[in-house]
Amino acid sequence: MNDKLLVLWGKTCRDPKEPEADLIYHPLLFHLLDVGHCTLELWDTFLSDGWKKRIAETLACDETTARWAMAFLAGAHDLGKATPGFQFQKTPLDWLRERLHSAGFMAPANPENKPHNFVSSKELHHFWMQNLWRWQAQNRRVAPVLAHITGAHHGTFPNAGDYSKWNDDVLGSPIWREARLALLDALAAHLCPPDFAFPPTLKWDDAGAIPVLAGLISVADWIGSSSHFRIEGHRDKLISVPDYLLKSRKRARTALDDFGFAATPRFVAPKPDFAEFWGFEPNPLQDAVIAQTQNAQAPFLLLCEAPMGSGKTESAFWAADAAFTGALNQGLYIALPTQATSNAMHARTRKFLEKRLPRGAIHLQLVHGNAGLLETPNVVFEPLSTLYEQLENDPEKARVMALSWFSGAKRPLLAPFGVGTIDQSLLGALQSRHWFVRLFGLAGKVVVFDEVHAYDTYMSRLLIVLLHWLRELGCSVILLSATLPSGKRRELVEAWGAALPDAEAKYPRLTWCDDKPNAVSIGIEGAEMAPKNVAVSVLKPENLAAELRRKLKNGGCAAIICNTVKEAQALFQILQSELGDFIKPKGLILFHARMPFKWRRRIESKVRRLFGKRKAMRPHRAIIVSTQLLEQSLDLDFDWMASFMAPSDLLLQRVGRLHRHPETPHRYDLTQPQLAILCDAEGDAPPNFGASEWVYEREVLLRSWLLWRGKTVLKLPGEIESLIENTYENAPHLPDEIWRKAIVDAQAHAENERSKAEGKAKNVVVKLRTERGNRRAPSELVEAPSLDLRDDDDPAIHAALRASTRDGDESVTVICLCLVGKSFYLPSPDGTPNLQSPVSLKQELAKNEAKKLMDFAVSLSQKGLYGELLQIEVPAAWKKSPFLRHARPLCFHNGAVAIGNFVLRLDGALGIVIEKEKSETGAE
């Protein structure tokens, strides 16, 4: 049987440039050994000591045995390829089919090629339950768990219902089962030491080990399918198994080195002195964090509530450092609300790590959809080769899907350190393909969530489920917020498995949970640091230009924050017209997300340069009109601000960008921070907030307006907690019956929307706990039906099947191009065609060419426009690019393009302007 095994193929050559493509193949046994060797290398160089110990405890054996057991399980992942359906599928290697026949491997009349990973699970389950191969299944609950973990490498866990009715058309005659047993024997004999015995697992109660084992096997398979593992089978000559073993081991070591897999650098105790490290003395908040974390004995949850600009980021770094030096955790991921805030935090994190770990490489990833387009240092990973197995019988699609995984957002979570959007971590709580790989990447790390107040109902529910998993995975979690309602604080602490004390400390405060059942609430002594009084007024939007002229007469920097892109574009044009004689064109800036990526990146850099801490660059007079991009995490400083009405917590966040840096040298006439709330309210009646009600719940806007409409002075930080509690928790004081009806109607609508969001989230998460809060059994987790949500950015996938971390309008990525005659060009900075940058929609693109096109990508989510954009065909050449495979070309002729009932205009200052075409009657 051993000679016959090498006739079974695992991979064939898909490279059209290979002259002997029809003569070569990779024996299945060789691929099993490749993945087993990759697992051994991952165990030795990448897996933390804590997880090695925990896996050994889970398998009820010592670490040496656990190492070999994991390598064997990973190697067995493709056992299911030894079936007639797989081996006799359409292949160019007719001579190989003949050899299969000669070896006695015959195909039934109607062979069925079922997913081979599911076959792997079924056969391992069968062998173990029937005591046909080595391991005695004393506890029958464990066999299906390990079998289904082994077969999950394509992204979802098989379950018994998937394969319970398969017959010989799928599994083949007895010789095929004999071959599968022989493959297991050969794998163990050539991969493991002679005295290796599979551990006699008696019980398995560790649900947290499931995503780690499944993630480890999947990653090992991806590495073992890379171009490092060249095809070694040939029709006319075949290397022996012992000789191939030496090559496979060497290639595994080289692949992990090239792919950047290395042990996370260790932070050596003791930590440096805070003041010496940062160059300034710790403030009361930072003193409290130092005191609370310095003797931590177990992974923890730290919830830090403190005013905007009070040094929460440095506090989070220091708390994470305490977890590192205390050997509680290894690795770091910082999750932020937006790409812009992630970009800014990436630079800050790199500086911290380089100073704290002065020797050796810093493997820090930027993790979001556009990270690959930025000039940031990243770990270099080679793409998978065309040897990667076909998916859905489409080899070209398989290659592109594999490439996109390695260039996308799942893999970077495996790096020791990462900064990115919260979405990339939340996908680990969704029933998306390879959700467990994301959790594997986060396991045992410190995970920081910034601006946790800013998440809607749907996103908050995902965060709760993710917190369940992070505690189970041995992570420490740090949550940062300036404005957190008490109800949400309680929910977060309960998600950790703790209870808040009856009497909590006053704001600002820390809330601390570790492995004990009760949380600790810690007041911050001396937190009245940096008191600030902000003058508050209400201003009609039509009076804004005149007010700016008065306020900035002698100089100053003002920020105007709008709630929609359309609002920001319109206001920018008004200010251009009315203040053209007052402010230089370069001093009036528009900043929003509906711009080609390259333009947005340029403006983002300019904004940080002009309004950040580098005061030498600060202009004499400037006005920035922005959407909520200015609201969160960006360390910017303005002298005067106007904002459209928003919920209280977000208004406070915006105010946090007023007079943020005490060292700013010139405020001119604006020595007191001032906020003007832009609202068209008339009298005391409940106002209509216009487009803002598409963004925020009307109920919350009304409750916030009641608190802000008569305010003349905002006292910070003293009023923060009362404003938040009165907005979200306490019953509002209603002036009259008109207000009561407005609140009741708005509340009913809000509760209906929240209920729908809760239901949607409940159906798509990977539940670790039952409704009663108990952990689910491991067998239940791997047997649970899965929606198999797709997170590959294909907008054509129905919304119900897409792994979405935000409950908003669906979006389509478009590439902005300029059409001149029949030729296409990239846009110039002013939106006109750049005749030096022609574009072909038919030519296959190199990676650098695809990235140039992605520089002009925009995500559009306008209602009604989404369906029209989906009708645009993706060019065939783009479908082969991991960057562009779902992007639509948007071709502007003379700066405009008609899409359905919409006209879209590309403007160098405004970005993409979306207008509805007027009907014949003239109505819009």
Side-chain angles (χ1 to χ4, degrees):
M1 177 60 77
N2 284 339
D3 293 337
K4 294 180 180 180
L5 291 182
L6 295 185
V7 180
L8 298 168
W9 62 274
K11 299 181 185 296
T12 57
C13 183
R14 307 287 184 181
D15 188 352
K17 298 178 182 178
E18 168 57 54
E20 293 191 304
D22 58 346
L23 299 177
I24 58 177
Y25 74 105
H26 204 54
L28 176 55
L29 177 58
F30 286 7
H31 177 60
L32 303 189
L33 291 168
D34 292 339
V35 175
H37 288 138
C38 289
T39 307
L40 292 174
E41 291 296 325
L42 285 168
W43 182 283
D44 293 341
T45 64
F46 178 70
L47 208 61
S48 71
D49 292 342
W51 270 106
K52 292 175 188 175
K53 179 181 178 182
R54 186 163 165 183
I55 291 172
E57 290 173 350
T58 299
L59 296 177
C61 61
D62 58 77
E63 289 185 27
T64 299
T65 304
R67 176 177 179 269
W68 293 117
M70 284 309 306
F72 171 82
L73 287 172
H77 75 293
D78 269 356
L79 181 69
K81 287 184 175 179
T83 55
F86 184 91
Q87 293 294 315
F88 287 100
Q89 65 181 285
K90 185 178 180 181
T91 171
L93 309 185
D94 291 336
W95 60 269
L96 190 54
R97 297 164 68 95
E98 293 174 5
R99 288 191 179 178
L100 285 165
H101 284 138
S102 298
F105 293 112
M106 308 300 292
N110 299 300
E112 293 187 56
N113 187 16
K114 294 294 186 180
H116 62 264
N117 57 314
F118 284 25
V119 180
S120 299
S121 290
K122 176 179 174 58
E123 288 297 86
L124 286 171
H125 186 195
H126 174 78
F127 294 156
W128 286 334
M129 294 296 279
Q130 299 302 318
N131 297 330
L132 295 177
W133 192 85
R134 295 199 180 195
W135 184 49
Q136 303 293 310
Q138 287 102 328
N139 187 327
R140 291 176 175 266
R141 292 187 300 117
V142 179
V145 174
L146 279 181
H148 294 158
I149 287 173
T150 304
H153 57 281
H154 280 192
T156 57
F157 287 100
N159 59 62
D162 293 321
Y163 52 66
S164 59
K165 296 182 180 179
W166 289 353
N167 55 25
D168 288 353
D169 287 340
V170 177
L171 302 174
S173 60
I175 192 174
W176 290 94
R177 178 157 279 174
E178 290 173 17
R180 292 190 287 271
L181 280 166
L183 277 169
L184 293 180
D185 284 332
L187 176 65
H190 294 295
L191 181 69
C192 303
D195 59 347
F196 168 70
F198 208 80
T201 309
L202 298 178
K203 65 177 182 177
W204 186 348
D205 298 322
D206 191 346
I210 289 175
V212 173
L213 268 61
L216 178 62
I217 291 171
S218 290
V219 172
D221 179 36
W222 287 321
I223 298 171
S225 300
S226 70
S227 57
H228 290 77
F229 296 87
R230 295 185 298 276
I231 281 180
E232 289 292 349
H234 193 283
R235 185 188 65 183
D236 302 326
K237 56 182 180 293
L238 184 64
I239 188 173
S240 70
V241 176
D243 287 343
Y244 183 70
L245 279 175
L246 299 175
K247 287 189 174 185
S248 180
R249 290 169 188 161
K250 183 177 180 180
R251 289 170 181 174
R253 285 192 293 271
T254 303
L256 260 74
D257 288 341
D258 290 350
F259 288 165
F261 283 95
T264 302
R266 293 185 180 274
F267 285 63
V268 179
K271 287 196 303 181
D273 177 73
F274 184 99
E276 181 181 329
F277 183 85
W278 293 106
F280 55 82
E281 293 293 328
N283 63 27
L285 165 66
Q286 291 155 351
D287 272 331
V289 169
I290 293 169
Q292 185 60 41
T293 59
Q294 62 186 351
N295 295 316
Q297 301 297 311
F300 56 81
L301 174 80
L302 175 64
L303 176 52
C304 178
E305 297 172 82
M308 303 72 67
S310 58
K312 291 191 292 294
T313 299
E314 290 81 2
S315 299
F317 283 140
W318 217 243
D321 202 320
F324 301 149
T325 53
L328 306 179
N329 300 99
Q330 289 179 245
L332 173 69
Y333 184 73
I334 302 179
L336 296 112
T338 66
Q339 292 186 10
T341 54
S342 301
N343 297 342
M345 184 62 74
H346 182 271
R348 296 178 72 179
T349 305
R350 173 162 288 278
K351 288 179 181 178
F352 166 71
L353 292 173
E354 287 175 341
K355 190 172 182 180
R356 189 67 177 88
L357 299 168
R359 297 181 182 84
I362 302 295
H363 288 185
L364 172 65
Q365 286 281 338
L366 180 62
V367 192
H368 60 64
N370 289 320
L373 305 178
L374 293 168
E375 298 300 323
T376 54
N378 284 285
V379 181
V380 178
F381 281 72
E382 288 187 4
L384 294 183
S385 73
T386 53
L387 303 179
Y388 199 85
E389 62 191 289
Q390 64 181 20
L391 296 176
E392 301 180 17
N393 299 317
D394 185 344
E396 186 58 35
K397 183 176 182 182
R399 182 178 76 86
V400 174
M401 287 180 70
L403 286 169
S404 66
W405 191 91
F406 263 65
S407 63
K410 297 180 191 177
R411 182 223 47 193
L413 289 177
L414 298 169
F417 306 108
V419 178
T421 54
I422 186 175
D423 307 70
Q424 305 306 331
S425 57
L426 289 178
L427 283 166
L430 286 173
Q431 296 175 45
S432 57
R433 284 207 172 196
H434 296 115
W435 59 269
F436 44 81
V437 173
R438 285 191 168 90
L439 292 185
F440 173 52
L442 294 173
K445 288 181 176 173
V446 175
V447 185
V448 180
F449 295 97
D450 200 4
E451 312 286 7
V452 292
H453 60 277
Y455 309 147
D456 59 24
T457 300
Y458 175 82
M459 210 170 182
S460 295
R461 183 52 45 200
L462 267 57
L463 177 60
I464 293 302
V465 174
L466 181 59
L467 284 176
H468 294 164
W469 276 109
L470 293 180
R471 183 174 187 190
E472 195 72 17
L473 292 166
C475 298
S476 288
V477 176
I478 301 168
L479 303 164
L480 306 179
S481 180
T483 53
L484 193 67
S486 58
K488 184 164 285 190
R489 180 169 62 255
R490 185 179 309 108
E491 191 176 41
L492 293 168
V493 168
E494 289 175 353
W496 190 258
L500 283 172
D502 293 334
E504 293 186 79
K506 291 182 179 180
Y507 179 93
R509 71 183 139 250
L510 304 177
T511 304
W512 173 267
C513 314
D514 47 25
D515 54 354
K516 301 179 182 63
N518 295 315
V520 179
S521 185
I522 304 154
I524 300 173
E525 295 296 330
E528 58 277 2
M529 53 189 185
K532 180 164 61 177
N533 290 343
V534 180
V536 180
S537 61
V538 175
L539 182 67
K540 290 187 178 298
E542 59 264 31
N543 297 331
L544 176 60
E547 186 74 355
L548 283 166
R549 194 180 286 272
R550 284 194 298 273
K551 295 295 183 182
L552 304 184
K553 178 180 179 181
N554 294 316
C557 298
I560 318 300
I561 302 183
C562 306
N563 295 329
T564 68
V565 171
K566 185 175 182 178
E567 207 169 48
Q569 290 171 326
L571 188 55
F572 178 80
Q573 290 178 290
I574 291 171
L575 296 182
Q576 270 186 322
S577 173
E578 297 190 15
L579 298 178
D581 63 325
F582 178 69
I583 192 164
K584 296 177 181 179
K586 289 186 177 180
L588 183 60
I589 303 166
L590 178 63
F591 185 33
H592 62 73
R594 199 189 292 161
M595 293 183 174
F597 182 74
K598 186 174 184 178
W599 298 3
R600 175 179 166 182
R601 186 175 65 213
R602 183 185 67 243
I603 296 171
E604 180 184 322
S605 177
K606 178 180 178 180
V607 167
R608 291 207 304 265
R609 185 174 68 251
L610 295 182
F611 308 113
K613 285 190 173 182
R614 295 176 63 184
K615 304 307 175 188
M617 305 297 297
R618 194 173 181 86
H620 168 68
R621 181 187 292 126
I623 301 169
I624 178 170
V625 180
S626 175
T627 55
Q628 296 92 332
L629 291 178
L630 288 189
E631 182 180 288
Q632 298 161 351
S633 296
L634 292 177
D635 192 12
L636 305 175
D637 181 351
F638 299 98
D639 303 314
W640 189 86
M641 179 178 289
S643 169
F644 280 88
M645 190 60 202
S648 293
D649 51 333
L650 303 186
L651 282 178
L652 288 167
Q653 286 295 321
R654 297 173 188 187
V655 168
R657 276 70 196 154
L658 270 173
H659 289 229
R660 185 179 181 91
H661 303 147
E663 67 274 17
T664 297
H666 300 294
R667 300 288 187 187
Y668 305 100
D669 298 335
L670 303 169
T671 54
Q672 181 186 13
Q674 301 174 44
L675 170 70
I677 298 175
L678 299 173
C679 187
D680 277 323
E682 295 288 346
D684 292 332
N688 183 335
F689 300 105
S692 297
E693 294 185 22
W694 288 100
V695 183
Y696 307 115
E697 294 173 354
R698 176 166 171 77
E699 180 201 4
V700 177
L701 288 173
L702 287 172
R703 290 172 65 112
S704 299
W705 177 248
L706 282 171
L707 300 171
W708 288 81
R709 62 177 183 165
K711 185 174 287 297
T712 57
V713 177
L714 171 66
K715 297 179 179 180
L716 299 176
E719 287 190 88
I720 291 178
E721 185 163 34
S722 62
L723 278 170
I724 299 304
E725 291 302 295
N726 287 327
T727 298
Y728 290 100
E729 302 293 335
N730 303 329
H733 172 70
L734 303 177
D736 51 38
E737 180 60 25
I738 295 175
W739 265 98
R740 190 197 68 80
K741 185 177 186 309
I743 289 286
V744 168
D745 290 347
Q747 187 176 29
H749 181 265
E751 287 178 352
N752 181 54
E753 292 300 309
R754 290 171 200 157
S755 177
K756 288 194 290 186
E758 285 272 5
K760 180 180 177 183
K762 184 177 178 180
N763 289 331
V764 298
V765 294
V766 181
K767 300 182 183 74
L768 173 64
R769 297 186 187 174
T770 65
E771 294 299 322
R772 294 184 177 182
N774 300 318
R775 287 187 185 86
R776 297 168 76 195
S779 57
E780 186 182 356
L781 276 167
V782 298
E783 283 284 346
S786 172
L787 293 177
D788 188 15
L789 301 175
R790 306 303 173 94
D791 60 310
D792 62 358
D793 302 321
D794 185 353
I797 293 175
H798 191 279
L801 298 176
R802 198 178 308 129
S804 175
T805 57
R806 299 178 190 243
D807 192 21
D809 293 340
E810 299 166 299
S811 64
V812 179
T813 296
V814 299
I815 306 297
C816 298
L817 301 174
C818 295
L819 178 63
V820 180
K822 294 184 178 181
S823 301
F824 302 95
Y825 300 89
L826 295 177
S828 297
D830 62 358
T832 60
N834 180 355
L835 300 181
Q836 304 303 312
S837 298
V839 174
S840 170
L841 298 186
K842 297 180 179 179
Q843 180 178 331
E844 191 166 339
L845 300 167
K847 182 178 179 180
N848 63 326
E849 294 170 321
K851 289 178 71 172
K852 285 182 181 178
L853 286 175
M854 283 300 296
D855 268 341
F856 294 90
V858 184
S859 181
L860 298 178
S861 59
Q862 179 85 13
K863 284 185 180 294
L865 182 61
Y866 170 80
E868 300 289 350
L869 291 172
L870 281 185
Q871 303 307 310
I872 300 175
E873 182 67 26
V874 179
W878 290 15
K879 292 178 181 179
K880 299 178 182 180
S881 165
F883 293 101
L884 296 165
R885 62 199 179 108
H886 300 309
R888 271 71 176 168
L890 195 59
C891 304
F892 293 88
H893 179 62
N894 292 329
V897 59
I899 305 290
N901 293 324
F902 296 85
V903 173
L904 279 63
R905 305 189 188 281
L906 181 64
D907 184 279
L910 300 176
I912 292 183
V913 180
I914 301 175
E915 303 169 349
K916 280 192 175 182
E917 286 188 325
K918 293 184 178 179
S919 66
E920 294 180 2
T921 64
E924 190 170 320

